[in-house]
Amino acid sequence: MAKQRSDAAGAALRDGLVIASHGRHCLVETPEGERLICHPRGKKSQAVVGDRVRWQASEDEGTIEQVQQRKNLFYRQDEIRTKSFAANLDQVLILIAAEPEFSETQLARALIAAAAERIAPIIALNKSDVVAPFERAWARLAPYRRMHHGVLPLSLKASPEADRATLMKLLAGRTTLVLGPSGAGKSTLTNLLVPSALASTAEISQALNSGKHTTTSTTWYWVDDARTTALIDSPGFQEFGLQHIEAMQLAHLMTDIAEHATACKFYNCTHLHEPGCGVITQVESPGHPGAISPSRYRIYGELFAELSQSRYK
Ligand SMILES: Nc1nc2c(ncn2[C@@H]2O[C@H](COP(=O)(O)OP(=O)(O)OP(=O)(O)O)[C@@H](O)[C@H]2O)c(=O)[nH]1
Ligand SMILES: [Mg+2]
Ligand SMILES: [Zn+2]
């Protein structure tokens, strides 16, 4: 009897893709492109945007019975809570802008979280039409321009057509999470590539030099009718907790530091004070050229202290 029941339930399960999540319920898209609201069966079937799920119809809504195994999960871990952005990503596009002024620490943290899940990052600096602040931001990004694939300059408002063409080359055929502080232009970018998205955008507050948190939930958009290219718009973040990462893992997750950590005398070098450290000798200072910028090394030290003290683990 029990066997028959589970077979019957199994036969009724259908595939779906989570395209938005609002608290406990989420919006699921079927392979045919229909969309419906689904509720998780229990804690184990809590899904995030990008999850592939098995669901079952119940009246006009659905119940998520199972979340398929994830390729990766991009999330942040603060002292008390875990905030999942999205699952099964090919890459994250970290979008910052000339204004509001970006936080280098938050940029470094987002890159570390991506590296920990082996998700390729793209960094883009928007609003090149705001000339002087853009130049300042571009200069601050020097260490990042040397890493990864460099930094992509954009002006989504002033040169939308050129930017669309550049972005499409990087995004085509992939699933990309657009991440960044409030006011950077994430929804502007989404609307440029997916005109039907109609995502709300808002002027940043000049007084506070900060965004207004216009986007409040993470949403998946198809860029093409064939559904091969996807963009995920997300709410701006201010804090990016990395409590899930071990202090001793940090150096491996910071590209510029990792590159020189192989030259250290001690295999368990923390790169903070050890003699014969390959990282410390590469930190640039007045009169001492080096491959690691002082700001990146400072961020490494601060994060190392923060993660060593963490009571979360
Ligand atoms: N000058 C200038 N303004 C831009 C550019 N791109 C976007 N903006 C403006 O920046 C403001 C914020 O853009 P949004 O797209 O709402 O920013 P967001 O990153 O989605 O912000 P949240 O949803 O709050 O996280 C809007 O007023 C946009 O019109 C640009 O290239 N140049
Ligand atoms: Mg937005
Ligand atoms: Zn070292």
Side-chain angles (χ1 to χ4, degrees):
M1 275 304 279
K3 173 117 197 344
Q4 241 173 13
R5 260 208 307 275
S6 74
D7 282 348
L13 289 186
R14 298 178 58 191
D15 288 328
L17 167 70
V18 176
I19 56 167
S21 78
H22 305 275
R24 276 180 56 78
H25 69 274
C26 47
L27 197 60
V28 167
E29 185 179 273
T30 68
E32 296 75 38
E34 283 160 38
R35 295 174 170 199
L36 80 163
I37 291 172
C38 282
H39 303 268
R41 168 70 68 200
K43 264 216 142 140
K44 275 201 164 155
S45 50
Q46 278 287 8
V48 305
V49 171
D51 264 329
R52 303 273 164 184
V53 297
R54 304 272 290 153
W55 62 277
Q56 181 165 217
S58 50
E59 310 211 350
D60 57 341
E61 302 194 334
T63 305
I64 295 175
E65 300 288 345
Q66 201 189 332
V67 177
Q68 313 273 42
Q69 191 168 1
R70 292 166 176 149
K71 173 165 94 173
N72 51 45
L73 175 67
F74 189 77
Y75 70 106
R76 51 176 229 240
Q77 178 67 56
D78 304 335
E79 278 295 339
I80 43 170
R81 78 184 202 123
T82 307
K83 172 80 180 74
S84 296
F85 286 97
N88 301 318
L89 303 172
D90 293 317
Q91 54 193 11
V92 273
L93 169 57
I94 303 174
L95 186 67
I96 49 186
E99 44 181 39
E101 192 174 60
F102 69 90
S103 151
E104 185 183 347
T105 304
Q106 301 308 334
L107 167 62
R109 285 168 182 258
L111 287 169
I112 291 165
E117 290 289 310
R118 298 176 205 279
I119 303 169
I122 299 172
I123 305 172
L125 180 66
N126 188 26
K127 311 195 189 182
S128 62
D129 52 298
V130 192
V131 178
F134 185 88
E135 278 171 8
R136 276 196 298 277
W138 190 250
R140 286 176 67 210
L141 286 169
Y144 301 85
R145 285 190 271 128
R146 293 194 291 260
M147 278 193 280
H148 309 292
H149 309 289
V151 174
L152 178 70
L154 295 173
S155 180
L156 296 167
K157 273 299 192 56
S159 58
E161 289 313 316
D163 285 356
R164 190 217 309 266
T166 312
L167 286 165
M168 277 312 295
K169 281 193 202 117
L170 295 168
L171 306 184
R174 300 197 171 102
T175 296
T176 307
L177 169 69
V178 187
L179 184 83
S182 182
K186 300 179 295 298
S187 299
T188 304
L189 185 150
T190 303
N191 287 334
L192 177 64
L193 297 179
V194 189
S196 64
L198 305 175
S200 307
T201 62
E203 296 293 324
I204 59 171
S205 155
Q206 293 294 345
L208 297 171
N209 190 27
S210 69
K212 290 183 173 166
H213 295 280
T214 311
T215 304
T216 53
S217 66
T218 303
T219 308
W220 173 295
Y221 298 99
W222 290 113
V223 175
D224 55 339
D225 291 339
R227 293 195 284 173
T228 62
T229 303
L231 259 194
I232 303 170
D233 190 10
S234 70
F237 69 87
Q238 275 168 311
E239 294 299 324
F240 205 108
L242 292 175
Q243 301 291 322
H244 56 300
I245 288 168
E246 295 283 341
M248 288 303 286
Q249 280 303 313
L250 260 186
H252 300 289
L253 301 173
M254 297 177 75
T255 313
D256 45 353
I257 292 179
E259 203 177 309
H260 300 283
T262 51
C264 301
K265 185 170 165 200
F266 301 110
Y267 81 97
N268 58 351
C269 187
T270 62
H271 322 300
L272 295 173
H273 49 70
E274 290 86 345
C277 172
V279 171
I280 296 171
T281 56
Q282 283 296 330
V283 179
E284 192 188 323
S285 60
H288 178 87
I292 300 170
S293 84
S295 65
R296 289 279 297 172
Y297 185 66
R298 177 182 47 76
I299 290 169
Y300 169 77
E302 287 167 3
L303 274 174
F304 191 96
E306 183 180 316
L307 302 183
S308 307
Q309 281 163 11
S310 164
R311 239 166 277 168
Y312 170 80
K313 296 194 185 84

